[in-house]
Amino acid sequence: MENEIISEVLTAKSFETDQDVRWCPGCGDYSILKQVQTVLPTLGLRREEIVFISGIGCSSRFPYYMETYGMHSIHGRATAVASGLKATRPELSVWIITGDGDSMSIGGNHLIHLLRRNLDVNILLFNNEIYGLTKGQYSPTSEQGKVTKSTPMGSIDHPFNPAALCLGADSTFVARSMDRDPVHLRTILKRANDHKGTSLVEIYQNCNVFNDGAFEVFTEKAQKGDNTIFVEHGKPLIFANGTKGIVLEGFTPKVVDVNENSTENLWIHDETDRVKASILSRFFDDPKLGEALPRPFGVFYIEERPRYEDQMTKQILDATQAKGLGDLDKLIAGNNTWLVS
Amino acid sequence: MQRGGPSTGLPTKTEQADLFQAMYGRNGEAPVAVIAAYSPTDCFDTTFEACRLAVEHMTPVFMLSDGYIANGTEPWKFPKAESLPEIIPTFATAEDKADGKFLPYKRNEKLARKWAVPGVKGLEHRVGGLEKENETGNISYDPENHELMVRLRAEKIEKIADYIPLQTVDNGNPTGKVAIVGWGGTYGSIKAAVKECREEGLDVSHIHIKYLNPFPKNLGELLYGFDKIIVPEINRGQLVSLLRDKYLVPAIGYNKVQGSPFSIGELKTRIKQEFTS
Ligand code: SF4
């Protein structure tokens, strides 16, 4: 039995459940599920120590399709449930699955507090810029002017920029990837897992039923080149098949022609530079408007900061060392008690 | 911790107006256990009991207290840790697998599911808000299954009645002319009022209910033994509705919603009305 336990060889298939996947055919969620199932066996984890916790929404059905421990929890509160689990069971590998509605709307508050606390969990934020499960109302990441069932004359809400929001909340790992680039997504998932702290991965996910093509300018071959930039630590910011690059003039990013600029002048991506990461996160122009900066993908920012669970464990250890093990009787008795007779 | 409502209401004043919320506040028909402390010293035992029910019966438990209890003081002879009864969680183990499959929604004799804790090999499973098929825990939209699960969840709470003490009479005879039935922080005033009335020769008894959902198994029989049932509450009549509903007894509310507790005088006057008319 022991031997059998140790020798379970995991493959992507090991993580499939026998449940019918209920996403619409063609939904970007399928690709994300596949990449997660593919990456997991490479992480050196045992199946029973993996937990997927989601909120509510299309993306949040994810745990039902993962043959691990899982909880389809409360709308916007996967972050809270996961915080509790990780604080008490630091040895588990905890993954939060959320969407732009779940994490940016009803769960916005919980999200920012998880980020500042820096528990070692991975958040996969499926951003499809729409409420899919409820059939197509605008979400907190929908672009201004978006016409949906709930905004027939166009939304007047200014959208959230999740990467910038999370950097603002002092997230220690912020990355962006997309459903349409499996290789990139797998790389980012691995790095998110490796990071010791809260990892926030925003994943552009196509909702082909209610917001089809929302990201096609960033994800489809024909347009991707000019509109998308993949950033890598230590490498210059180059896009458009190597023809264009980004330079920083002061704090202002500018698109330049690579031929006229030696690559030395180009912005070299530094994942540990918070200021540059925040500028990068602000590459958020609507590509339909001319002169738009390309949308960045990759790891924007990484910071080593003590994890909540480590500090909590340490505090308990320190207290135990200083004061000895807890004694319920002493605690209840307090310092000033007497017997009424 | 009930206080004058609604919302922030009367923050430092007492009220008993959240019993209905605890009883019925969930969406769908999904009852939970509800118990109430009746005095500052009783808060310890009631909290302990709430934990026992939650862990052993795998259910959320509402423990109701109120502003009067919270702001009250009385001497308390605290127990020794070793004298506290043991709370026994039932954990699932690899042995719970049938034909190689773990059934996360299989229930024990309490109708509670076993605790299958992340990290245990072979018990990987998913829980969540969508309706689940009985035993397997698969997502299920099957109409018959939904009705079964709604019923099972209710029966699980009802079953708690087998594991809690029977209702006792706090003061007075187990049958008689008038029963004063209270819950929560009105305990002290009712106790004093009933005591004084009894000393004056009135046939009145005091019953104070700690277990509000489910009620103790003998509560109905006990109530049927009295000609009149008066239910004083710091609300517009919540326990009285539950009692009438469940036991079809003509219980009468005596209500006050002023952020303050009943005075002993008020209660005595009300009790005496039953003996003068
Ligand atoms: S509604 Fe959109 S996001 Fe939801 S499953 Fe269908 S395609 Fe995917």
Side-chain angles (χ1 to χ4, degrees), chain B residues 1-234:
Chain B
M1 182 61 59
Q2 302 162 98
R3 57 191 204 181
S7 185
T8 315
L10 309 174
T12 58
K13 302 293 180 190
T14 195
E15 205 160 277
Q16 296 184 297
D18 298 325
L19 176 56
F20 278 173
Q21 189 180 10
M23 285 291 299
Y24 304 119
R26 295 174 113 189
N27 55 342
E29 292 180 341
V32 290
V34 184
I35 61 176
Y38 61 82
S39 69
T41 59
D42 184 50
C43 285
F44 182 88
D45 292 334
T46 307
T47 308
F48 191 91
E49 183 66 344
C51 296
R52 179 182 74 88
L53 296 179
V55 170
E56 295 188 349
H57 295 264
M58 206 196 231
T59 172
V61 177
F62 274 104
M63 179 203 153
L64 297 174
S65 177
D66 56 57
Y68 189 62
I69 294 176
N71 291 312
T73 51
E74 58 182 340
W76 172 48
K77 181 147 192 285
F78 44 83
K80 286 273 172 226
E82 60 176 27
S83 70
L84 296 171
E86 206 182 337
I87 294 176
I88 305 159
T90 319
F91 291 111
T93 63
E95 266 105 78
D96 285 298
K97 288 168 81 167
D99 299 329
K101 274 210 103 145
F102 173 56
L103 298 173
Y105 280 68
K106 199 170 158 68
R107 290 162 195 276
N108 63 18
E109 72 286 354
K110 294 187 171 90
L111 292 182
R113 297 183 288 115
K114 290 188 180 177
W115 296 93
V117 181
V120 182
K121 179 156 184 69
L123 302 185
E124 295 86 359
H125 70 286
R126 275 65 54 194
V127 293
L130 289 171
E131 183 62 284
K132 301 294 185 298
E133 184 180 65
N134 189 30
E135 301 210 338
T136 65
N138 293 334
I139 300 171
S140 170
Y141 278 58
D142 179 72
E144 305 285 325
N145 177 74
H146 177 57
E147 188 153 5
L148 172 70
M149 295 302 274
V150 169
R151 201 167 51 68
L152 278 174
R153 285 187 285 263
E155 281 173 9
K156 171 170 104 170
I157 302 304
E158 281 302 315
K159 263 237 168 303
I160 293 174
D162 293 343
Y163 301 87
I164 58 174
L166 294 177
Q167 182 65 48
T168 55
V169 178
D170 191 79
N171 184 15
N173 304 321
T175 58
K177 190 154 167 27
V178 175
I180 306 299
V181 181
W183 67 283
T186 53
Y187 179 74
S189 341
I190 298 176
K191 188 176 180 70
V194 167
K195 180 167 174 281
E196 289 180 22
C197 286
R198 288 187 60 77
E199 281 162 7
E200 293 171 30
L202 304 181
D203 178 15
V204 54
S205 300
H206 176 197
I207 295 169
H208 216 76
I209 305 177
K210 178 198 282 265
Y211 295 89
L212 293 154
N213 197 35
F215 285 131
K217 286 208 278 194
N218 64 331
L219 183 62
E221 278 311 309
L222 196 57
L223 295 179
Y224 297 144
F226 290 90
D227 298 343
K228 272 279 174 68
I229 298 161
I230 313 282
V231 185
E233 293 178 87
I234 312 289

Side-chain angles (χ1 to χ4, degrees), chain A residues 63-117:
Chain A
Y64 291 124
Y65 311 138
M66 292 299 300
E67 192 57 55
T68 62
Y69 280 94
M71 180 181 272
H72 180 214
S73 81
I74 313 166
H75 206 353
R77 273 72 187 180
T79 32
V81 174
S83 298
L85 180 63
K86 189 68 188 178
T88 48
R89 300 287 305 281
E91 74 277 16
L92 298 172
S93 170
V94 179
W95 299 70
I96 294 168
I97 306 293
T98 183
D100 45 308
D102 191 62
S103 68
M104 297 278 114
S105 198
I106 192 168
N109 196 346
H110 291 281
L111 176 73
I112 55 178
H113 291 285
L114 170 59
L115 295 174
R116 80 183 165 87
R117 289 188 178 123

Side-chain angles (χ1 to χ4, degrees), chain A residues 9-115:
Chain A
V9 179
L10 296 171
T11 62
K13 203 141 182 61
S14 324
F15 289 102
E16 292 173 9
T17 63
D18 57 3
Q19 304 293 293
D20 294 335
V21 182
R22 296 289 293 265
W23 291 316
C24 309
C27 174
D29 290 354
Y30 285 94
S31 161
I32 306 174
L33 177 65
K34 181 99 193 85
Q35 305 329 315
V36 172
Q37 286 171 337
T38 308
V39 162
L40 276 185
T42 69
L43 302 180
L45 297 166
R46 281 176 294 133
R47 182 207 298 280
E48 62 271 22
E49 62 191 10
I50 304 171
V51 187
F52 279 84
I53 301 176
S54 64
I56 298 296
C58 288
S59 58
S60 286
R61 280 183 163 252
F62 197 96
Y64 291 124
Y65 311 138
M66 292 299 300
E67 192 57 55
T68 62
Y69 280 94
M71 180 181 272
H72 180 214
S73 81
I74 313 166
H75 206 353
R77 273 72 187 180
T79 32
V81 174
S83 298
L85 180 63
K86 189 68 188 178
T88 48
R89 300 287 305 281
E91 74 277 16
L92 298 172
S93 170
V94 179
W95 299 70
I96 294 168
I97 306 293
T98 183
D100 45 308
D102 191 62
S103 68
M104 297 278 114
S105 198
I106 192 168
N109 196 346
H110 291 281
L111 176 73
I112 55 178
H113 291 285
L114 170 59
L115 295 174

Side-chain angles (χ1 to χ4, degrees), chain A residues 22-30 57-59 61 126 128 130-136 205-212:
Chain A
R22 296 289 293 265
W23 291 316
C24 309
C27 174
D29 290 354
Y30 285 94
C58 288
S59 58
R61 280 183 163 252
F126 297 19
N128 56 18
I130 198 82
Y131 288 166
L133 193 76
T134 52
K135 304 203 183 302
Q205 172 246 322
N206 191 38
C207 169
N208 56 308
V209 174
F210 297 109
N211 202 16
D212 195 23

